[in-house]
Amino acid sequence: MSLVKLTIKGISYSQTQNGAYALILNEVDGDRKLPIVIGAFEAQSIAIALEKEIKPPRPLTHDLFKNFADRFDIIVKQVIIHKLVDGVFYSSIICERDKIEEIIDARTSDALALALRFNAPIFTYKNILDKAGIYLKVNPLEPEKTQDIDDVLTSPETFGIEEDHNPSENFQQYSLSELHEMLESSVASEEYEKAVKIRDEISKRENL
């Protein structure tokens, strides 16, 4: 079976289903997306790795794993989403130490959080992408596979969803200087989910 390379596009939040996040993976040489529903903790960890500018004062679980691996010269070479059974994605982390390769089973959200921290490539098999890949924008060639993100999130395809998100929180009322202060405060108090939202609002304004 041939492997298809993926990149992480970002994380979407459902406006209709509290606590539901979808990690969106892009097909590198194509237009399909592979959405994987993840919990709030995993979404937070991946968002922080994507943001780069948010540095937790203490390591999160995936950062701790990265530090541990670095200390013992373990390299994560790649992540493969290798199986889809009853709507659940299964992944493997391909590691190497002293030129000996090991394969470790992992939840897909954990595997992808580590792939980001190790700058490791992400792959899936073509048959999985054929089965679960979708177009999030209208594509005239395959309109039957076109979906919006809430359609995806109303039928989760993987592990459990935590209901601890507040979609009504709005940062538009604050000035840029206030947002920067709030960002520093949120990171210092380890409110990372809030920090990511503030960072998004800052980025949106600075790119105008």
Side-chain angles (χ1 to χ4, degrees):
M1 291 183 289
S2 59
L3 287 171
V4 179
K5 190 172 184 179
L6 304 169
T7 59
I8 295 178
K9 177 177 175 63
I11 298 173
S12 293
Y13 176 75
S14 172
Q15 299 301 315
T16 60
Q17 184 177 350
N18 284 350
Y21 295 84
L23 177 65
I24 309 299
L25 302 172
N26 272 353
E27 180 184 14
V28 170
D29 296 318
D31 298 321
R32 287 175 294 182
K33 319 292 182 189
L34 186 66
I36 300 177
V37 178
I38 61 177
F41 172 79
E42 293 83 2
Q44 171 185 288
S45 180
I46 291 170
I48 287 172
L50 287 170
E51 279 293 335
K52 305 294 184 186
E53 295 180 32
I54 298 177
K55 302 295 183 185
R58 297 184 300 170
L60 301 180
T61 302
H62 297 109
D63 298 317
L64 178 61
F65 185 98
K66 172 68 162 57
N67 294 340
F68 183 90
D70 288 344
R71 181 66 61 90
F72 290 95
D73 298 320
I74 300 169
I75 301 170
V76 171
K77 296 179 65 178
Q78 61 184 12
V79 163
I80 300 176
I81 303 170
H82 64 85
K83 189 166 63 173
L84 175 60
V85 179
D86 295 331
V88 179
F89 292 94
Y90 293 80
S91 294
S92 295
I93 301 172
I94 314 301
C95 303
E96 183 179 279
R97 181 172 184 265
D98 295 334
K99 297 183 179 179
I100 298 174
E101 193 171 276
E102 300 285 351
I103 301 175
I104 299 173
D105 181 49
R107 292 193 311 164
T108 298
S109 59
D110 291 328
L112 297 178
L114 291 174
L116 280 171
R117 287 163 170 82
F118 283 89
N119 293 315
I122 302 162
F123 297 94
T124 192
Y125 288 109
K126 182 179 181 298
N127 65 322
I128 292 178
L129 194 58
D130 289 341
K131 181 178 179 181
I134 63 170
Y135 295 92
L136 291 182
K137 294 182 180 179
V138 174
N139 187 308
L141 298 179
E142 293 195 40
E144 74 279 0
K145 298 188 77 174
T146 301
Q147 294 177 264
D148 64 33
I149 198 62
D150 275 332
D151 288 338
V152 175
L153 289 166
T154 51
S155 54
E157 296 189 85
T158 187
F159 21 79
I161 302 302
E162 296 180 23
E163 309 233 347
D164 60 357
H165 183 73
N166 179 9
S168 64
E169 199 162 19
N170 190 336
F171 299 103
Q172 295 178 357
Q173 59 185 305
Y174 299 101
S175 68
L176 263 178
S177 60
E178 289 174 324
L179 288 172
H180 280 289
E181 290 177 6
M182 291 168 64
L183 177 61
E184 291 181 13
S185 174
S186 297
V187 172
S189 59
E190 302 185 11
E191 297 178 273
Y192 300 123
E193 187 178 340
K194 181 179 179 180
V196 168
K197 294 186 186 117
I198 297 171
R199 179 64 240 177
D200 287 346
E201 179 65 26
I202 292 172
S203 298
K204 190 194 324 181
R205 295 195 200 180
E206 291 179 342
N207 290 330
L208 290 177

